[in-house]
Amino acid sequence: MSQERKLGIVVQSGAANRICCVAVYAASALSSGWKVVLHLVNEGLVAFRKDTAKKVWSSLNPEDFSIYPKMYGPNVEIFLKNLQEMIKTGKLQDWSDMFVELKKLYGEKLRIYACPLAAATYGIKKEDLLDIVDDIKGAESFLEEVYPGIVMVF
């Protein structure tokens, strides 16, 4: 009997170029039959706030929502411009809308948890977060749920 394939993603950054990777890997794994569990920590948790989520793509200034070596600045500007255009023309979904759709399509196969330590230190409550966030659970619960799968950190 084969074991369920699982992917755990620790989302530690709320930067546009990081959140994009999280959405792509989560969607790819889910479409391939994997269970995906996100654990939101640090600025990754802040990105999933109701009042923050739609702002991640809004700026063309790379310093607003991206993390990168300074010499990559011009490339990140191109990335953000192209990303905004792709969202505007419907070629790509906004990351938060993509996760809403993934939750609808895959249900319990996609779980999203907020780290309780990050929530406490950032002053974030469950009701502050997007409705797609399932619960506030610690690292031990996250790791136990993902075991013996793969864990990625963004």
Side-chain angles (χ1 to χ4, degrees):
M1 186 168 151
S2 69
Q3 194 167 29
E4 179 181 40
R5 295 178 298 172
K6 299 176 185 179
L7 173 62
I9 303 176
V10 178
V11 185
Q12 68 176 353
S13 173
N17 51 347
R18 304 298 198 271
I19 293 285
C20 185
C21 291
V22 171
V24 168
Y25 276 91
S28 297
L30 287 163
S31 68
S32 296
W34 293 49
K35 177 179 181 171
V36 175
V37 183
L38 304 185
H39 199 228
L40 310 175
V41 302
N42 300 328
E43 291 80 29
L45 176 61
V46 176
F48 277 74
R49 286 180 55 106
K50 290 176 183 172
D51 63 348
T52 306
K54 292 293 182 180
K55 296 178 183 176
V56 171
W57 304 127
S58 64
S59 174
L60 281 177
N61 180 1
E63 294 177 8
D64 288 345
F65 290 102
S66 296
I67 299 171
Y68 58 93
K70 294 297 178 201
M71 66 183 269
Y72 295 168
N75 299 76
V76 177
E77 287 176 23
I78 292 167
F79 167 81
L80 290 171
K81 181 179 176 231
N82 289 338
L83 195 61
Q84 286 179 347
E85 185 60 29
M86 291 170 82
I87 290 169
K88 194 182 302 181
T89 60
K91 293 179 183 172
L92 185 69
Q93 281 183 297
D94 176 274
W95 70 268
S96 59
D97 293 337
M98 182 184 289
F99 278 115
V100 168
E101 187 172 322
L102 291 172
K103 289 288 275 184
K104 286 179 187 171
L105 286 171
Y106 296 101
E108 294 296 312
K109 293 285 246 180
L110 173 60
R111 305 298 293 167
I112 303 174
Y113 302 124
C115 170
L117 180 57
T121 54
Y122 281 90
I124 296 173
K125 296 177 181 68
K126 171 76 168 75
E127 58 268 17
D128 298 329
L129 299 169
L130 297 172
D131 294 336
I132 56 174
V133 177
D134 296 295
D135 204 351
I136 296 179
K137 288 189 175 185
E140 182 181 5
S141 297
F142 164 76
L143 292 171
E144 191 61 38
E145 190 166 340
V146 173
Y147 182 82
I150 297 167
V151 175
M152 300 173 74
V153 179
F154 282 100

